[in-house]
Amino acid sequence: MTGGAGFLGSHLCDRLLKEGHDIICLDNFFTGTRNNVLHLQQNPHFELLRHDVTFPLYVEVDQIYNLACPASPVHYQHDPVQTTKTSVHGAINMLGLAKRTGARILQASTSEVYGDPEVHPQPESYWGRVNPIGPRSCYDEGKRCAETLFFDYQRQHNLDIKVVRIFNTYGPRMHPNDGRVVSNFIVQALSGEDITIYGDGQQTRSFCYVDDLIEGFINMMSTETGFFGPVNLGNPGEFTMLELAELVIKLVGGRSKLLYLPLPQDDPKQRQPDITLAKSKLGWQPKVVLEDGLKETIAYFRKLLNA
Ligand code: NAD
Ligand code: UDP
């Protein structure tokens, strides 16, 4: 697993170890941390490897989950050239590894491939509306190019590929400072700071709890050979950022007020997954409603921040 010490990767490690797999967890610790997998270090079936996916890797594996890539706008815009390299060179290196070993390989793609969409909700057949030269492009176009590489390696070298497009996912082990909206709002509410609403707060996102998403990963990895995706994985429950802020304030308590800040460039106005394909091909749909998932996430951050 690449990016295995990150938010999603560490949960996927937990789940795969429970199912009896052996894992090589690869990470360069850019946004991930050893703390996320500290509890696994003594497990003989778990091996942690410091490595950057932009460099080739020679190991023997029979499945690859390719998750390495900073996911929050603050982190992926910190070093945009490295972000594109991670997606594109990382995909080339991992596809090369899959080609040599014959491993099945799953790509963690993103709803960002749809950009600021004119089709709502977004089905997999929608080609997207992405700015190729803006501040989000390093991530969006890097991920789009990685999808292209996956499908070309499949057509050209007959690789056993799987591609999932992940919509906003949240839960314990999110980085407290990575600037994503759920962690920002919870950390701000717990610290008694103002809640930062970008723009008028009417833009929407659909939030999936991490446990549901991991289930979707596992189901996708075990679909029949010849089914490649892409498949949307996300929770169709759609909320405005104002609704999210109000819910977080209600669940945390405290006296945080709303602070309106400028909307970042190219911020998508709406986003909701069409999960018809995931339901039919993976037998998957999310179970955790936002309020329950937020309670778990708040409890995690409360402990982390001692708040
Ligand atoms: P994260 O930042 O917690 O995890 C990414 C991991 O990749 C980190 O551990 C980081 O250190 C590692 N990494 C970054 N660059 C690397 C490199 N060059 N070499 C090796 N490791 C590297 O983010 P996450 O939310 O866990 O996201 C995991 C994957 O899922 C990413 O590919 C992301 O694009 C995708 N995704 C996540 C979401 C979401 O809402 N969480 C949505 C869409 C897509
Ligand atoms: N957002 C916000 N306040 C914050 C952080 C984010 O209003 O403190 C908004 C952001 O502008 C976007 C939405 O929340 O419209 C989701 O942002 P995030 O960075 O979590 O994910 P993405 O934009 O990549 O979906």
Side-chain angles (χ1 to χ4, degrees), residues 2-11 26-33 36 49-55 66-72 75-76 82-83 85-87 90 107-112 139 143 164-170 173-175 178 180 207-208 213 217 233 271:
T2 76
F7 161 49
L8 297 180
S10 62
H11 286 279
L26 175 163
D27 210 293
N28 72 346
F29 304 117
F30 174 49
T31 51
T33 141
N36 285 339
L49 193 67
R50 179 193 283 265
H51 182 81
D52 188 315
V53 280
T54 60
F55 296 99
N66 187 36
L67 273 65
C69 188
S72 85
H75 280 141
Y76 71 64
Q82 176 66 15
T83 299
K85 280 187 185 169
T86 293
S87 276
Q107 167 69 356
S109 191
T110 170
S111 55
E112 295 285 340
Y139 184 75
K143 288 284 189 180
V164 292
R165 291 180 177 157
I166 305 164
F167 285 64
N168 299 60
T169 301
Y170 68 98
R173 300 192 199 144
M174 289 185 92
H175 197 297
D178 79 1
R180 282 188 267 192
F207 297 103
C208 185
L213 191 89
F217 270 142
L233 292 181
R271 194 183 283 153

Side-chain angles (χ1 to χ4, degrees), residues 217-233:
F217 270 142
I218 304 274
N219 289 11
M220 181 62 173
M221 194 52 129
S222 58
T223 50
E224 78 271 13
T225 308
F227 177 66
F228 312 125
V231 178
N232 289 338
L233 292 181

